[in-house]
Structure formats: C-alpha cells, structure tokens
Amino acid sequence: MEDSYQHKGLRKKLTEEIRRKGISDENVLAAINKVPRHLFMDSGFIKFAYRDQAFPIAAGQTISQPYTVAFQTQLLDVKPMHKVLEIGTGSGYQAAVLVEMGAKVYTIERQKDLYLMSQSLLGALHYRLHFFYGDGYLGLPTYGPFDRILITAAAPEIPEKLLDQLKPNGKLVIPLGESDSQVMTLIEKLGENEYKRSHHGLFVFVPMLGGKQ
Ligand code: SAH
C-alpha cells in the first residue's frame, strides 16, 4: 500500500487539472490532493489512477471520475464536523474525500463485496467512518438527521425517505435521471416541508437500484 513520490506528483497534477476545469473550493482540492486514488483501483487500472476518468471496479460498478467527485463535494458545501450520509460507497474513494473534508461520514452500499472491500481498505488507510450494508433508498433513520446527503448513483427520482432525514438548512446532492445521463441536482431544505431545487449540469452515473445484493 505504497504512496510514492511519483504517486504524490501525479496526484498534484490531477488536482491542478481539476482546478483548471473549474473547481475552486480549496478544501475540496486539498482533499483530492490527499487521497491515494491508486489504492482504490482494480489492479489492471492502477497506472491510470491519476487520469481524470471513471474506471471499472468490482461487481460491475465504477469509481467516479475525480472531477465528478470534486464537483459533487463542492456542491454539497461540506463543513468540518458535518454529519454526512453517502449513498453508494463503491470503492470508498468519495467517502475518503469526505473524511478528509472533516466530515463525520456514514456510507451505505447495497453490494456486499463492495461493502466489505471498501471497509477493509479504508480501515487499513486509517480513515474513520461508519459503513452500512443496505438499501440507500431507506437511508439510516436511526442515525439521522444529517447535515448533508450525497447520492453517488443515478436515481430516477428523489428518494422521499432521504429528504426526511435531512436537517433544516441541510443540503442533498443527487444525479437525477434515467440511464444515459443525469442532471446534477442540489436540494436545500429551507423548512420542515420547504425545499429549493437547483440544477448543475449533466453527468453519467451507474444506476441506483433498490434492495441488497
Ligand atoms: N462513491 C463511489 C461511486 C460508486 S458507483 C466511489 O467513490 O467509488 C455507485 C455505487 O452505488 C455502486 O457501488 C452501487 O453498488 C451503489 N448503489 C446503487 N444503488 C444503491 C442503493 N440503493 N443503496 C446503496 N448503494 C447503492
């Protein structure tokens, strides 16, 4: 689990590339510069770890493109000590970025092998967060409410139960739409039943599916 000078150099270049693409939150850029993405990749793709691209991981899923991770994290407006719920742990890369932002992270994955793999990897890297094996559509009612909720899979609609688990003034970021492309959507909870919705461009994610596997 080596993080060499070469890896660090490539990561710094990737961070600057993401900055040029429009990410301006210094805390987000610092987090991208810290997380050793090559350790989250399948062995066949390690040499591409610092390209700004999504790659396949186990169970037919993907590790998101670093720009997309940075974009979602910036939009989520994460502050230190925020309680953040992530839906779709996948490789655990986005979760590690959230921990680097100083958040208290709760992450849910519906695929058992990914849940187990990410838990052991992040543990070995000394990232402290809470892992759950389950259906993200249900959220974590007993652990909420959350300051921030981040969905990292494409959902056809906003899961009602997740809105209920958002604190007043909380924010939820979700790629909304069908399989070919989704609209990055920010939901701000203004009051008990009052929400503001804004749209932030098109992205492509793997689908959010119900149940566990
Ligand atoms: N955040 C991840 C990206 C993973 S891709 C990373 O940084 O690597 C999306 C993930 O969402 C996949 O692992 C998929 O299995 C998971 N997923 C899809 N539907 C889900 C659901 N209902 N609940 C929890 N996880 C889900």
Side-chain angles (χ1 to χ4, degrees), residues 61-62 86 88-91 94 109-110 114 135-136 152 208-209:
Q61 301 303 319
T62 58
E86 180 198 25
T89 316
S91 68
Q94 169 76 71
E109 173 56 54
R110 70 179 284 279
L114 292 174
D135 180 359
T152 70
M208 183 167 173
L209 304 169

